[in-house]
Amino acid sequence: MTTFDLIDATWPAASTRSAGGFLIREGQGAGSRVSAATLEGAFEGADIEAALAASKALGQRGLFMVRAGEEALDAALAARGFVIEDPSVEYRAPLATLAHAVPPVTAFAHWPPLQIAREVWEETGISAARQAVMERASAPKACVLGRTEDRAAGVAFVSISGDTAMLHALAILPEMRRKGLARAMMAEAVRWAVAEGARDLSLIVRRDNSEANALYRSLGMAQGTQYHYRAEAKA
């Protein structure tokens, strides 16, 4: 399973359709991963205008994910004035190399999310539309709630497809960052994934998120797939 198949399985769009040689995703306001168009084959013969029309028929802006080997698409979009957004990178590691003890009363996995977990997501910008993506993801899946200083302060979502768990929507309240909570939540996500029979853990992070990149490198995760988006320039 490719990284992109894993994303689609664990963070699914509301619907998909084909247009102009592209896969069109309906995101319903839940962000780029579930609303970007992607090539279904080679760029030669693909119809960007047809993909744009299909996206706009869904009430979405023109947005394309550009992956390794898709330089022709990237150049064509650049020539149309589409701008780069959110260069991103995958981190991946075997669960066996990530496992370590979870500090007591610090993080626990559960499903469906407790109301306090939903409130932390809302407060950190993970909207109801993004939480609806989690509902669509197939099981096994879990919400990881993190606690520090005697309060709920972080939350994440993890889902498994095949033998790989993928972490999404990890968020910590701003005033509770740099206290080791994200590391404890990662440990709980790993513990849960191992118990569910997964072998590897994968996640996607923006390349300019220096703190997150440093955390995942410190855990021994290796960089893998990279991609970026091309979006219509704002008027």
Side-chain angles (χ1 to χ4, degrees), residues 18 20 41 44 50 73 76 85 102 163 185:
S18 295
E44 183 178 355
L73 170 62
E85 288 187 357
V102 182
D163 60 4
M185 290 169 59

Side-chain angles (χ1 to χ4, degrees), residues 50-203:
L52 285 172
S55 293
K56 291 183 178 181
L58 294 171
Q60 300 178 167
R61 63 178 178 149
L63 181 70
F64 295 81
M65 178 188 283
V66 181
R67 302 163 295 192
E70 295 178 344
E71 289 78 10
L73 170 62
D74 199 37
L77 292 170
R80 291 168 176 257
F82 280 60
V83 297
I84 291 177
E85 288 187 357
D86 298 343
S88 300
V89 60
E90 177 195 28
Y91 282 86
R92 188 183 289 243
L95 289 166
T97 69
L98 297 173
H100 63 274
V102 182
V105 201
T106 302
F108 69 97
H110 63 287
W111 191 264
L114 294 172
Q115 181 58 33
I116 188 61
R118 295 190 182 279
E119 290 171 3
V120 173
W121 266 322
E122 286 284 352
E123 192 170 342
T124 52
I126 309 299
S127 65
R130 284 179 166 84
Q131 293 179 47
V133 176
M134 305 173 199
E135 300 291 343
R136 291 195 295 267
S138 59
K141 58 187 174 184
C143 166
V144 178
L145 181 66
R147 293 180 55 84
T148 189
E149 297 184 6
D150 202 32
R151 64 163 295 183
V155 68
F157 174 73
V158 60
S159 177
I160 296 173
S161 183
D163 60 4
T164 304
M166 194 165 209
L167 189 80
H168 301 271
L170 173 62
I172 309 290
L173 293 174
E175 66 274 21
M176 295 297 178
R177 293 172 186 166
R178 300 185 181 180
K179 298 178 183 290
L181 184 58
R183 187 177 293 270
M185 290 169 59
M186 287 288 291
E188 174 63 2
V190 168
R191 183 206 63 76
W192 173 84
V194 168
E196 293 292 335
R199 184 186 68 186
D200 297 327
L201 178 69
S202 170
L203 56 88

Side-chain angles (χ1 to χ4, degrees), residues 8-41:
D8 285 341
T10 62
W11 196 254
S15 69
T16 60
R17 65 212 66 190
S18 295
F22 292 87
L23 182 68
I24 309 301
R25 293 172 178 79
E26 180 185 9
Q28 297 184 346
S32 297
R33 288 185 204 172
V34 289
S35 58
T38 50
L39 275 172
E40 292 190 290

